[in-house]
Amino acid sequence: MKSLKSLLTLTALSIAVSGSAFANENTVTALKKESVTNVNSMIQKQKENVISGKNSLKEKAVATKEEVKEAVKSTKEKADVMKEKAKSMKSSDTSSTKNQVSEKFNSAKQQIKAEKQKIASSAKVNVNKADAETLQKLSGIGEKKAQAIVDYRNKVGKIKNVSELSKIDGLGETTIEKIAPYLTF
């Protein structure tokens, strides 16, 4: 935007100088048209850059969503396989087989739990709506830091961006950098 304002200022200045230097109305008109064309061209390029960036972000969001869906699907399939193995082994009479099945099933449960935690940690958290318990799920945020965020939010109002988090006591740059990708405002 600054470059656009600078260009407009320079354009206006050049038009004024040209108008006084050349008393010819056709030259001034031609310069005005050329300036307007240049400004319109710059505006159009900036619009195209913004649209391109927006589309890129949408594509990344869709890709991440698909990855999460695939991870959940894979985890569910593993659980189903383990359940089937457990069912088939359940019919055997030996206690050692039952123990093996139980261990494998518990292992599968732990893997599923770990996958769910990974998925939950990759989901975005709205800092302005989340309670202290939800904020604690973020890496590096404990009970005190979560409460400090909630207290700051209650005192000051909505948190507008990541840089505003540095105003909260107990949140250092390292923690903010770690949690920033998982936050929305």
Side-chain angles (χ1 to χ4, degrees):
M1 264 332 231
K2 288 183 179 179
S3 63
L4 182 61
K5 288 180 179 178
S6 297
L7 179 64
L8 288 172
T9 303
L10 289 173
T11 303
L13 184 61
S14 67
I15 290 171
V17 169
S18 298
S20 64
F22 309 106
N24 187 345
E25 191 173 308
N26 289 334
T27 304
V28 171
T29 303
L31 286 174
K32 282 183 182 179
K33 286 181 182 179
E34 183 179 338
S35 297
V36 168
T37 302
N38 289 340
V39 168
N40 287 337
S41 172
M42 287 180 66
I43 290 171
Q44 185 61 32
K45 285 181 184 178
Q46 287 184 352
K47 283 181 182 178
E48 290 170 1
N49 288 341
V50 168
I51 290 170
S52 172
K54 184 178 178 182
N55 290 339
S56 174
L57 287 175
K58 282 183 181 178
E59 290 171 4
K60 286 180 183 178
V62 168
T64 303
K65 188 175 182 180
E66 290 300 319
E67 288 174 7
V68 169
K69 283 183 181 178
E70 287 300 317
V72 169
K73 183 179 176 183
S74 172
T75 304
K76 285 182 180 178
E77 289 172 356
K78 287 179 185 177
D80 290 342
V81 168
M82 294 305 284
K83 284 180 183 178
E84 288 299 318
K85 285 183 180 179
K87 284 181 183 178
S88 68
M89 296 177 121
K90 202 175 196 180
S91 62
S92 75
D93 294 326
T94 62
S95 64
S96 65
T97 305
K98 287 182 180 180
N99 288 339
Q100 288 175 349
V101 169
S102 178
E103 288 175 15
K104 287 184 179 181
F105 186 72
N106 288 336
S107 173
K109 276 178 143 179
Q110 289 175 348
Q111 287 177 344
I112 291 170
K113 189 175 180 179
E115 287 293 326
K116 283 184 178 180
Q117 287 177 341
K118 282 183 184 177
I119 292 168
S121 69
S122 69
K124 297 219 176 211
V125 174
N126 187 324
V127 174
N128 292 309
K129 293 181 181 178
D131 59 359
E133 186 177 320
T134 305
L135 291 170
Q136 289 177 32
K137 292 180 182 177
L138 295 169
S139 177
I141 300 294
E143 189 176 326
K144 288 183 180 181
K145 289 180 183 178
Q147 191 59 47
I149 292 170
V150 171
D151 292 342
Y152 179 84
R153 187 177 65 204
N154 290 337
K155 181 180 177 184
V156 177
K158 283 191 171 186
I159 298 171
K160 294 168 188 67
N161 54 40
V162 174
S163 62
E164 192 172 343
L165 292 174
S166 63
K167 296 177 183 176
I168 299 173
D169 289 338
L171 288 182
E173 290 299 319
T174 306
T175 303
I176 293 171
E177 287 176 18
K178 199 184 302 183
I179 65 172
Y182 305 108
L183 299 178
T184 59
F185 297 92

